Amino acid sequence: MVNMEPNTTRVAAVNNPSGSPPSPSTAAGIKRNFLIPAPKEGGIEMYSLAFYATCTAGGILSCGPTHTAVTPLDVLKCNMQIDPTKYKSVGSGFGTLLKEQGVKGFFKGWAPTLVGYSAQGAYKYGLYEYFKKHYSDIAGPEYAAKYKTLIYLAGSASSEFVADIALCPFEAVKVRVQTQPGFARGLSDGFPKLIKAEGVSGLYKGIVPLWGRQIPYTMMKFATFENIVEGIYKYAIPTPKEQCSVPLQIGVSFSGGYVAGILCAVISHPADNLVSFLNNAKGATLGDAVNKLGLWGLCTRGLPLRIVMVGTLTGAQWGIYDSFKVFFGLPTTGGAPATK
């Protein structure tokens, strides 16, 4: 059945998800609210269990396949971080890998990448939508609009904390497979081999630096994306978001995601080097990593390649995620404040 209630009521309902009647000051401030309006028609109710399930599935599709697609860049990046004297640059590094391991060497670790980042994407996106709504409800409409960036940061940090617990074991296997020739062919033999060698704790040896890499990365990814997209609709596109075509909205999502990805890569790169070092060297500590790499090495080793990889990844992820949401009748993420 098509909902025939007036558009202003629908907008007010979304901007005040608790369902209580908005106060006059809240109603007057709806134009400033950062929450996106519900789609005009669609079978999925906003913030319902089906909504979160759809966002979770969209997160799986946006993260697992995209990370797997850039496995060759990831293999080279990890090797440049672990052995910079052998893999001195992108060009020579690809040549070395091709000469020593053949074409198949570029796709080492694709299985733990696919499984691990699919699991991470499920929690990252699904829980982000949940926590963003939850923290907005706690803050109330006025403060949620006033401190929207803090809501984005808190929601993304909370979701990534959980997502990394799912990712960490697969990341540990991936790094070993990619940087230690002969360790294992992939996930099926690498997983039990790592457990046998180091126990279950070995799977989570890199959890702290992984949190250090991924939580700031995701906070930057979501908060920057939301604000960039809102700015694009507010200053660059004269047409209100709800009147823009779907391809244009997806293009905005990709553009905002790509810019956010570049910033993500820079802020999270030192921890990325730590993750690679600790998962490659048995018994290594954070102090060992800092002493060997140095502060400059932590911040810059493999950074240009990671900027290209993460920028492309993040843009593609937001494009896929929002396309998936649109397919099921949901609005794209972020955008200009709702208008009356």
Side-chain angles (χ1 to χ4, degrees):
M1 178 179 296
V2 178
N3 192 335
M4 299 300 292
E5 62 182 343
N7 184 58
T8 54
T9 303
R10 291 176 62 81
V11 172
V14 175
N15 283 289
N16 185 23
S18 64
S20 59
S23 65
S25 61
T26 299
I30 285 176
K31 290 179 67 176
R32 296 182 290 104
N33 203 305
F34 72 97
L35 293 177
I36 54 179
K40 294 181 180 179
E41 295 186 24
I44 297 178
E45 180 184 352
M46 291 291 289
Y47 313 118
S48 64
L49 183 61
F51 168 77
Y52 293 120
T54 301
C55 295
T56 298
I60 293 173
L61 289 177
S62 68
C63 289
T66 52
H67 275 277
T68 306
V70 296
T71 296
L73 292 177
D74 192 38
V75 171
L76 179 58
K77 174 191 69 80
C78 289
N79 280 282
M80 290 177 69
Q81 291 172 330
I82 297 302
D83 193 354
T85 58
K86 183 176 181 180
Y87 300 91
K88 297 179 180 180
S89 66
V90 174
S92 64
F94 272 121
T96 301
L97 279 172
L98 182 62
K99 181 179 179 180
E100 294 187 352
Q101 303 182 34
V103 175
K104 65 179 182 179
F106 292 114
F107 297 94
K108 292 174 64 176
W110 71 266
T113 298
L114 177 62
V115 177
Y117 282 93
S118 292
Q120 185 218 35
Y123 290 106
K124 182 199 294 276
Y125 283 90
L127 288 180
Y128 172 69
E129 299 284 4
Y130 169 79
F131 283 121
K132 184 170 71 168
K133 168 71 163 57
H134 180 66
Y135 294 148
S136 296
D137 287 346
I138 292 175
E142 182 180 353
Y143 287 108
K146 185 176 181 180
Y147 300 109
K148 59 185 178 181
T149 299
L150 292 180
I151 299 292
Y152 302 146
L153 292 172
S156 56
S158 300
S159 66
E160 189 60 41
F161 180 87
V162 179
D164 289 342
I165 296 175
L167 170 64
C168 194
F170 302 99
E171 182 77 359
V173 175
K174 176 186 79 71
V175 172
R176 292 290 183 92
V177 170
Q178 291 178 340
T179 61
Q180 293 185 5
F183 172 75
R185 295 186 305 275
L187 179 62
S188 59
D189 58 336
F191 203 86
K193 189 171 183 178
L194 183 56
I195 293 178
K196 183 178 180 180
E198 300 186 29
V200 175
S201 62
L203 296 175
Y204 286 94
K205 181 174 66 174
I207 187 64
V208 173
L210 186 63
W211 278 328
R213 180 187 81 183
Q214 290 297 131
I215 291 178
Y217 165 91
T218 302
M219 293 170 71
M220 179 70 73
K221 172 180 179 177
F222 282 88
T224 305
F225 171 82
E226 296 260 18
N227 283 287
I228 289 174
V229 168
E230 181 176 331
I232 291 175
Y233 283 115
K234 186 175 181 180
Y235 299 109
I237 299 177
T239 306
K241 175 187 171 182
E242 58 270 18
Q243 297 178 20
C244 294
S245 66
V246 170
L248 178 57
Q249 292 189 41
I250 299 303
V252 170
S253 295
F254 176 82
S255 301
Y258 200 99
V259 175
I262 293 174
L263 299 174
C264 290
V266 174
I267 197 172
S268 64
H269 194 66
D272 184 63
N273 272 312
L274 287 175
V275 170
S276 295
F277 185 90
L278 292 176
N279 283 325
N280 181 69
K282 183 176 181 179
T285 64
L286 289 173
D288 296 332
V290 174
N291 290 333
K292 173 130 188 212
L293 300 176
L295 291 178
W296 179 252
L298 280 174
C299 295
T300 61
R301 185 176 293 180
L303 179 59
L305 184 61
R306 189 160 182 263
I307 286 176
V308 174
M309 185 179 79
V310 174
T312 304
L313 268 177
T314 308
Q317 286 171 1
W318 278 115
I320 293 171
Y321 179 66
D322 277 347
S323 296
F324 189 81
K325 289 173 70 177
V326 167
F327 180 80
F328 285 96
L330 295 170
T332 57
T333 310
T339 57
K340 289 184 180 180

